[in-house]
Each structure stands twice: as structure tokens, then as C-alpha cells.
Amino acid sequence: EAWSHGEESTQRYPELVDRHIVLNCPHGRVFKTFLENSWTQLRRSWFIFLFQMPRLPEALISLQDYQFLEQLFTSHTSGVKNRDQFPAEVVEAYKYTFSRPGGLTGPINYYRAMFSSPKDSLPREKWTISVPTLIIWGDDDHVLQREMADCHDTICSDLTVKLVGD
């Protein structure tokens, strides 16, 4: 699930957490609901389904000297507003990092794990996050629908959502 580590720790051990801050990432139950009920979100999440395949995503991303990563940071359709933050040397650093043995597999495994069921799911009384939670959400994300930010009130008992423009 999208919040799997922070979400589960915060829900399982609220006494150890003072506050919970999330940057542009929906709770797993919110994300699942949007995938099941929103054609727009399903279309925007196409890559997550590709990432479920073993080895193929790593092979595709590494083609043509990691051209995919370069496009991700510099194309007009990627959603990056300020492409000046990704000069050639920064893009090359990302390409180098992800070209290291296993450099792509770890990040892709995050998405692979989204659909796996935890062995010991949380008991129902721990489904609500009781610690103060702040969600900071960019209102022009090209992958996640902005409406997701507003759907956490049934998951978080003490919630603040701050939208960031542009």
C-alpha cells in the first residue's frame, strides 16, 4: 500500500508517534478505492501494473542509456514544472544511481509490494490513525488525482490537508 511503512507503524504503535506527515501520497485504502472507481486514476497508474512483472520494467527503463529517466525529469508531459532543477549533470547522477546493480529493483519493488497482502493485517480497531496527521499535497500532480487528498478523513481522526499550488 502507498503508505505501508509509515501508515502501519503509525496505526500499530500510535504511542510511539507524535505526528504523522505525508507528502503527496494517498493511504493504501484511498488509493485502492480510486483505482477501483476512477478510470482517470487507473489510466494514470498504468506503470504500477507494468512494474508487477519481473525484470521487464528494469530492462525497459535501462534502454538507450536510461532515456526513460531523462524524459521523466525533462519532458513537458512528465509533470515536472521547473525542469531547470534537473540540469544534465543531475539527470546523469540519477542515471548513474539507477544503473548500479539492483539500483532499479528496489524502487520498483515498492510498487510491486502495493498489491501484496501483509501476513498479519491490522485489527479493525487500529484502522484509524489517531495521531495528528498532516497531508501536504500538490494540486497539479500528473499521476495522483488531487481529490485523493480530501478522502482521508475516515482514516485519520486528527487530519489537516494543505494544498500546494503549481
Side-chain angles (χ1 to χ4, degrees), residues 131-145:
V131 301
T133 299
L134 169 63
I135 296 176
I136 302 170
W137 199 278
D139 69 359
D140 197 18
D141 189 302
H142 283 229
V143 175
L144 299 171
Q145 286 181 257

Side-chain angles (χ1 to χ4, degrees), residues 2 17 19-20 25 50 55 59 63-64 66 87 101 106 129 153 163:
V17 180
R19 68 201 97 189
H20 187 211
C25 187
L50 171 68
R55 294 185 298 281
L63 288 174
Q64 297 178 326
Y66 294 82
I129 295 174
D153 54 343
L163 297 176

Side-chain angles (χ1 to χ4, degrees), residues 72-158:
L72 181 68
F73 295 125
T74 61
S75 84
H76 291 285
T77 58
S78 70
V80 175
K81 293 286 186 180
N82 186 353
R83 287 176 293 285
D84 295 337
Q85 293 178 348
F86 296 101
E89 61 271 11
V90 171
V91 173
E92 287 302 314
Y94 275 99
K95 288 164 64 172
Y96 173 78
T97 298
F98 287 118
S99 70
R100 308 289 297 153
L104 281 172
T105 302
I108 291 172
N109 281 347
Y110 170 84
Y111 294 98
R112 288 179 176 135
M114 290 178 82
F115 299 116
S116 63
S117 299
K119 291 180 182 161
D120 58 333
S121 59
L122 288 171
R124 194 165 193 78
E125 67 270 7
K126 297 245 182 196
W127 278 14
T128 302
I129 295 174
S130 59
V131 301
T133 299
L134 169 63
I135 296 176
I136 302 170
W137 199 278
D139 69 359
D140 197 18
D141 189 302
H142 283 229
V143 175
L144 299 171
Q145 286 181 257
R146 190 244 159 281
E147 294 81 10
M148 283 186 189
D150 299 325
C151 295
H152 291 82
D153 54 343
T154 60
I155 295 166
C156 305
S157 61
D158 183 355

Side-chain angles (χ1 to χ4, degrees), residues 3 7 11 18-19 24-25 28 34 36 44 46 53-54 58 61 78 112 120 134 142 148-149 153:
W3 274 10
E7 154 197 322
Q11 288 175 272
D18 289 332
R19 68 201 97 189
N24 229 94
C25 187
F34 271 76
E36 291 171 349
R44 289 181 180 187
W46 68 270
M53 302 180 78
E58 289 92 335
I61 291 171
S78 70
R112 288 179 176 135
D120 58 333
L134 169 63
H142 283 229
M148 283 186 189
D153 54 343

